[in-house]
Amino acid sequence: MTVDEGYYVKSVEKAFAILGAFTPDVPEHTVSTAAAAAGTSRAAARRFLLTLRDLGYLGFDGTAFRLAPRTLDVAAAYLAHLSLPQVAEQHLKQLSAELGETTSLCILDGTDVVYVSRITSLRLLRVAVNVGTRFPAWATSMGRVLLAQLPAEELETYFADVRLQQYTRSTVSSVAELREEVLLAGIRGWSKVTDELEDGLRGVAVPVRGADGTVVAAANVSLQLHSSDGVETTVLPLLRAAADRISRDLGSRGGPA
């Protein structure tokens, strides 16, 4: 990233690096582990951690630091002014009730998909997912739908830079295979992923369009009760109908903020 040194504040960068070290997989840190994760010295990490604790963004139990509820304030302020999750929620709830499955809405953020709305069914999922959870776009049905909508030059850059990881035996193993999957998602207007991110994790997704007709998100159904083989007749029609309703409501409200 190129920055103008006239305004750039390195201490802000370091503070957010410390906050970014706390993830769903690593929810707590000591001074030493936070320093290593943020790429800073132990002395600097200690100052940032204690400052963030005093400001209410971190908790400390005498041994380790972890995120405090106040960190939700920033995300809540963002989501409060984003009409997309608000518009989608009622339709995702209806879809979840119709299918008895968990439904979600994701956006593309860089190389990841980010969950901005999620309605969980009573059936327990193997992977804990909440609003704000990120997954690599290439490994998800939502991501492939969203990648398929990128301009050709941008998509080629993505393929050139992407680094695949073999999560399971079913995970796409090459960029060529991924390219085919993304192309197919663009042609048919939906994508299905089975056991690629984790064994037993299956899902199908379709695009959601904003007021100007461009794709702004992907609606998804996590397939727990329904067979992935029959998804085109059992799940896809209802999912597409829900995505169409979300798209129409976005149009009437002027699209996402």
Side-chain angles (χ1 to χ4, degrees):
M1 178 179 62
T2 302
V3 298
D4 181 346
E5 294 298 336
Y7 73 81
Y8 198 75
V9 182
K10 288 289 292 183
S11 59
V12 175
E13 177 188 350
K14 291 178 181 178
F16 277 95
I18 291 292
L19 283 174
F22 295 88
T23 68
D25 293 329
V26 188
E28 61 182 32
H29 278 285
T30 63
V31 173
S32 296
T33 62
T40 189
S41 69
R42 190 178 185 282
R46 180 176 181 275
R47 292 196 299 272
F48 283 113
L49 288 166
L50 292 176
T51 300
L52 290 166
R53 180 204 61 183
D54 291 347
L55 290 172
Y57 291 98
L58 293 178
F60 182 62
D61 63 5
T63 302
F65 294 86
R66 60 173 53 243
L67 295 178
R70 190 173 183 183
T71 56
L72 294 173
D73 291 350
V74 176
Y78 170 73
L79 291 174
H81 292 282
L82 185 67
S83 62
L84 180 58
Q86 299 167 348
V87 168
E89 184 176 5
Q90 60 177 322
H91 302 299
L92 293 177
K93 284 182 177 178
Q94 178 181 336
L95 180 62
S96 180
E98 290 172 337
L99 294 172
E101 302 277 24
T102 293
T103 58
S104 308
L105 193 78
C106 290
I107 60 173
L108 188 65
D109 183 26
T111 60
D112 295 336
V113 289
V114 181
Y115 286 78
V116 296
S117 185
R118 187 162 173 85
I119 306 299
T120 306
S121 72
L122 295 178
R123 188 176 179 86
L124 181 64
L125 294 176
R126 299 183 62 179
V127 177
V129 177
N130 301 293
V131 170
T133 295
R134 291 173 172 267
F135 287 128
W138 61 266
T140 68
S141 59
M142 304 83 73
R144 292 175 187 177
V145 163
L146 294 170
L147 289 171
Q149 308 303 317
L150 292 178
E153 185 175 347
E154 188 175 345
L155 184 57
E156 286 306 312
T157 299
Y158 174 86
F159 285 136
D161 294 340
V162 69
R163 296 293 180 266
L164 305 182
Q165 178 178 342
Q166 202 69 29
Y167 291 107
T168 72
R169 288 179 295 178
S170 300
T171 305
V172 291
S173 57
S174 69
V175 174
E177 185 180 356
L178 174 62
R179 186 190 295 271
E180 290 182 5
E181 289 295 330
V182 172
L183 178 62
L184 182 59
I187 292 173
R188 64 187 183 184
W190 60 279
S191 177
K192 179 182 67 176
V193 167
T194 303
D195 301 329
E196 291 198 38
L197 195 60
E198 181 174 310
D199 287 327
L201 193 64
R202 301 172 295 130
V204 59
V206 300
V208 172
R209 299 183 182 275
D212 61 356
T214 60
V215 173
V216 296
N220 162 266
V221 173
S222 296
L223 302 172
Q224 298 290 306
L225 299 175
H226 294 77
S227 168
S228 58
D229 294 334
V231 68
E232 292 184 62
T233 57
T234 59
V235 175
L236 194 56
L238 293 175
L239 175 57
R240 278 180 164 156
D244 287 344
R245 292 194 299 271
I246 295 171
S247 298
R248 284 198 300 269
D249 284 358
L250 284 174
S252 67
R253 291 182 55 168

